[in-house]
């Protein structure tokens, strides 16, 4: 089956500019996640969607970051305006089941978008 | 809050030697624990996971991990390292009350020398 797709793979912008990332999860996966991975650190959850509803956005800097999941499938993550500290790899992941589902669930990660803010 | 600590940001082993990557967790509830591997310029790939049941978990590529509640540990091992094992390894624990989102450790970079 096709994996999680992300675009673009690389993006370079100047501070105060805007940027958007796109994610297409594995077909049929109910849950979608955006993580931020700063160089030398582990990924940090930004937002989790189940279908098109937000489950967890407690770590999303809402003054500059926004995300949506259109029709419960694709998702976009936007940063406006960008700061130097936003330089990171933005990872999208998806999983089949939703919150509270019995048993276990596996997250499948896309290749990420590497953002450099100058 | 659920968190993990990976001991050692860099580990170097010789090809054929034992691989041991350390992870300790903190959790107020029975944890779900994971190990992921990340190759350069690629996304994360699940190696193995512990949810309930058997405490020794076997994963892909010959890796295994043992959940030890008394030691709050979930160390990753492989009996014999291969050059292709060189990568970044992340331990993770399921976030509370959020379905299956994860809190990751800072990662351990594994170097395998000939």
């Amino acid at each position: 089956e096709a994996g999680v797709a992300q675009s673009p793979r690389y993006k370079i912008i100047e501070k105060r500019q805007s940027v958007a990332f796109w994610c297409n999860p594995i077909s049929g996966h109910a849950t979608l996640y955006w993580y931020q991975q700063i160089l030398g650190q582990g990924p940090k959850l930004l937002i989790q969607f189940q279908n098109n509803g937000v489950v967890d956005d407690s770590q999303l800097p809402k003054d500059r970051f926004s995300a949506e999941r259109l029709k419960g499938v694709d998702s976009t993550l936007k940063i406006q305006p960008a700061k130097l500290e936003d330089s990171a790899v933005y990872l999208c992941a998806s999983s089949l089941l939703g919150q509270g589902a019995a048993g276990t669930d596996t997250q499948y990660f896309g290749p990420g978008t590497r953002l450099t803010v100058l | 809050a659920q968190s993990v600590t990976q001991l050692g940001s860099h580990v170097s082993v010789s090809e054929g030697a034992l691989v041991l990557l350390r992870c300790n967790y903190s959790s107020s509830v029975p944890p779900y624990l994971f190990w992921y591997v990340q190759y350069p310029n690629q996304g994360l790939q699940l190696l193995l996971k512990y949810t309930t049941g058997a405490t020794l978990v076997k994963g892909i590529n010959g890796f295994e991990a043992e959940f030890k509640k008394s030691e709050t540990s979930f160390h990753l091992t492989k009996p014999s390292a291969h050059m292709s094992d060189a990568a970044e390894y992340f331990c993770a624990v399921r976030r509370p009350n959020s379905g299956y989102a994860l809190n990751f450790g800072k990662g351990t970079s594994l170097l395998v020398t000939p």
Side-chain angles (χ1 to χ4, degrees):
Chain A
E1 63 181 5
V4 176
Q6 292 188 247
S7 68
R9 290 296 311 276
Y10 305 91
K11 189 73 176 179
I12 300 174
I13 63 173
E14 296 191 350
K15 59 183 180 183
R16 292 188 289 273
Q17 286 188 324
S18 301
V19 65
F21 312 127
W22 174 82
C23 173
N24 182 224
I26 294 174
S27 178
H29 278 197
T31 306
L32 185 147
Y33 314 79
W34 283 102
Y35 290 88
Q36 178 192 56
Q37 185 178 16
I38 294 173
L39 185 65
Q41 299 183 22
K44 182 182 80 171
L45 179 74
L46 292 176
I47 190 167
Q48 176 186 351
F49 293 95
Q50 181 177 349
N51 298 309
N52 59 356
V54 175
V55 174
D56 184 353
D57 64 355
S58 59
Q59 299 186 126
L60 185 74
K62 298 180 184 63
D63 58 334
R64 298 184 300 106
F65 286 65
S66 64
E68 60 180 1
R69 189 178 183 194
L70 305 174
K71 300 180 181 178
V73 182
D74 293 6
S75 178
T76 56
L77 176 69
K78 297 179 181 178
I79 308 175
Q80 181 179 11
K83 293 185 175 181
L84 297 177
E85 58 261 36
D86 298 332
S87 293
V89 175
Y90 290 84
L91 295 166
C92 180
S94 69
S95 63
L96 180 62
L97 303 174
Q99 183 185 16
T104 63
D105 200 15
T106 296
Q107 293 182 39
Y108 297 88
F109 284 80
T113 296
R114 182 177 298 276
L115 173 67
T116 301
V117 182
L118 302 176
Chain B
Q2 269 74 337
S3 65
V4 292
T5 301
Q6 292 184 241
L7 304 176
S9 58
H10 294 84
V11 171
S12 181
V13 300
S14 299
E15 190 174 19
L18 171 72
V19 175
L20 171 61
L21 303 182
R22 300 177 187 273
C23 174
N24 287 92
Y25 70 88
S26 173
S27 178
S28 56
V29 298
Y32 282 17
L33 294 161
F34 304 78
W35 275 100
Y36 278 84
V37 61
Q38 186 176 36
Y39 298 101
N41 297 316
Q42 295 186 27
L44 283 78
Q45 180 183 12
L46 180 68
L47 281 176
L48 49 80
K49 60 184 176 183
Y50 168 80
T51 55
T52 59
T55 57
L56 182 61
V57 181
K58 295 186 183 299
I60 63 172
N61 301 339
F63 285 93
E64 62 182 35
E66 186 171 11
F67 171 68
K68 292 187 176 180
K69 184 178 179 180
S70 61
E71 299 177 7
T72 62
S73 69
F74 190 58
H75 301 331
L76 181 71
T77 61
K78 182 175 181 178
S80 176
H82 192 273
M83 297 296 290
S84 61
D85 294 327
E88 190 83 14
Y89 291 80
F90 293 94
C91 182
V93 62
R94 195 177 78 172
R95 287 168 59 80
N97 304 319
S98 68
Y100 289 89
L102 302 173
N103 285 339
F104 285 86
K106 292 186 176 182
T108 297
S109 179
L110 177 65
L111 175 66
V112 182
T113 57

